[in-house]
Amino acid sequence: MGDPLFLDSRFTELYDSQAAWKRRREYCFYMELVMSAGSVLDVGCGTGELLHLAREAGHTGRLCGVDPADAMLQHARTRPDVEWILGDAASAAWDQEFDLVVMTGHAIQAIIDDENIKASLAAIRSALTEQGRFVVETRNPTLRAWEKWTPDHVSEFFDPNGALVRTWYEIDTVDGDVVTVTSTYTSSGWNQPRIARSSLRFLDLNSLNAFLSDAGLAIEEQFGDWDRQPLTDTSPEIITIARRV
Ligand SMILES: C[S@@+](CC[C@H](N)C(=O)[O-])C[C@H]1O[C@@H](n2cnc3c(N)ncnc32)[C@H](O)[C@@H]1O
């Protein structure tokens, strides 16, 4: 089952306004990697904005995005000079075709169960060329970011029509490393709030590294933030660059 937020066009039409790549702290980190790779697979590409920007910036090689949410891919498909595939990470069946595979926007956190994580990483490994690299990020659970996801932490952004949207989160459950959260969006232009529930897995460093290593992916570098700071217990992110073993 996919995340309801990304399966429903009432939310996906807001995604690029809320999470515009050019405003993100990780924008330069990923653009540098993507622009220097001959072929790129974006797993959990969502609305595909990263690959759109790469093409606009002059990337001439193969760019391919895969995502299980058709409502997200509808936005991606506005650029036909990139391949867009409907599917989840585990169903990817490429054989040594990509120099770079990325999973951005904490997409791996949407994969909850162990078997699905293993199948997804195995498929990603297969998709990598011999010297290819896989870049994956997850929020560092030591910071317990979800504890700040409360209704008094409201964010605001403008929707594509220029109407102000307010959004906040409320934690429903924390079950081991799986956090289930309700997202509420309101706007003066709507009759009622838009509400969706999703679950995210907060893998700790040891668990993440074990999944990668079991999948035949060797860690080349790990950073704690988008400026390539070393990873520490208090880093906000666990950003990993891995290679096929
Ligand atoms: C937070 S969005 C990130 C989208 C995009 N990568 C970005 O950085 O803006 C998470 C994406 O992961 C996708 N997703 C959920 N489960 C997935 C899976 N099993 N395999 C691949 N993608 C998945 C969702 O459909 C959604 O588009």
Side-chain angles (χ1 to χ4, degrees), residues 109 112 141 146 174-179 200-204 207:
Q109 292 194 240
I112 307 301
W146 62 87
V174 179
D175 182 5
D177 59 5
V178 178
V179 175
L200 295 172
R201 185 158 178 189
F202 282 75
L203 287 172
D204 64 27
S207 310

Side-chain angles (χ1 to χ4, degrees), residues 2-3 6 15 19 21 24 26 42-47 66-69 72 87-90 103-107 110-111 116 120:
D3 185 329
F6 305 118
Y15 188 82
W21 263 96
R24 293 199 206 173
E26 64 267 37
D42 185 351
V43 176
C45 63
T47 57
V66 58
D67 199 286
M72 293 291 263
D88 61 12
M103 254 186 128
T104 72
H106 306 117
I111 307 179
N116 198 357
S120 300

